Amino acid sequence: MTTTTDITPPPAAVAKDAHWAAKMAKLRSRKLPERTLSICDDQAAKTAVTDAAMVLAKARAAAVAECAEQGIREDQRDAWVASNPQVVAADSALTAAQDTLADATLTLTFRALPRPAWEQLLREHAPSEDQADQGMDYNPETFPAAVIAACSVDGMSEAEAQELLDAWPDGEAKALFTSALVINQTIRADLGKG
């Protein structure tokens, strides 16, 4: 004989904790975590951002040194440095380089699955007996493409995911798979010190 236990808190207890309803509403409204994978094959765009950042750092350092030489008060230095023509030009060049890099970068977004969907995906791609004996939680032949597709916010299909896993070099394929896998295993809660 099976009995069910009512886990609904007594109304009197809820009434005593007026904050519980608000807290529960916040817990229910939490969004599933997301993770992005950025891909950029334009090495020149990456280098341009690094170079522009170095030019800006040097321009700021020179402007700070000039402040000291000219006796500009410390409380006025930030504004003076920010308005320095070399700093303004370097900052503008960095922004332009960052915009170029952003245009050259592809971003894939992955969202964690609700726990029941995650568990179903693991069941659908269970490891073989040999794989389980090796400590694997899933079938490494079928699970990577499935989890990538299931977590893709961009709408990547399982066939497309498998195509990329097969075509990309090992490190990039692992980064693609890891982006989808890790988002489902990340804990956003702080368990505190017990």
Side-chain angles (χ1 to χ4, degrees):
M1 180 172 160
T2 308
T3 60
T4 58
T5 305
D6 182 14
I7 58 170
T8 306
V14 173
K16 285 182 182 177
D17 185 359
H19 301 289
W20 177 249
K23 188 180 288 187
M24 193 62 198
K26 285 181 182 179
L27 290 170
R28 286 184 179 121
S29 69
R30 291 180 72 220
K31 296 189 184 323
L32 293 168
E34 292 186 354
R35 180 182 183 107
T36 59
L37 174 66
S38 298
I39 303 160
C40 182
D41 294 330
D42 189 342
Q43 191 57 46
K46 292 177 190 179
T47 301
V49 169
T50 302
D51 292 348
M54 290 296 291
V55 169
L56 177 58
K58 288 178 182 177
R60 283 188 178 145
V64 168
E66 193 174 333
C67 284
E69 290 171 10
Q70 293 189 15
I72 295 173
R73 292 190 339 244
E74 198 169 317
D75 63 333
Q76 297 176 336
R77 287 184 183 173
D78 287 344
W80 194 89
V81 168
S83 65
N84 178 285
Q86 286 78 22
V87 172
V88 170
D91 190 44
S92 178
L94 176 58
T95 299
Q98 289 169 330
D99 290 346
T100 299
L101 179 61
D103 290 343
T105 301
L106 298 172
T107 303
L108 300 174
T109 304
F110 300 96
R111 183 178 300 129
L113 300 171
R115 187 183 52 78
W118 173 254
E119 290 174 352
Q120 178 64 33
L121 191 65
L122 286 171
R123 281 191 298 276
E124 290 171 0
H125 299 277
S128 68
E129 200 171 305
D130 288 341
Q131 293 165 342
D133 288 344
Q134 295 173 26
M136 295 181 186
D137 295 328
Y138 50 79
N139 184 322
E141 300 299 320
T142 62
F143 183 72
V147 73
I148 290 166
C151 296
S152 174
V153 172
D154 303 302
M156 185 182 301
S157 72
E158 197 168 325
E160 291 167 330
Q162 190 62 57
E163 177 186 344
L164 296 177
L165 289 169
D166 292 341
W168 286 2
D170 187 56
E172 291 178 357
K174 284 179 180 171
L176 177 62
F177 170 52
T178 301
S179 294
L181 180 66
V182 167
I183 196 62
N184 287 286
Q185 298 175 333
T186 300
I187 298 174
R188 294 184 295 173
D190 178 4
L191 303 178
K193 297 179 182 180

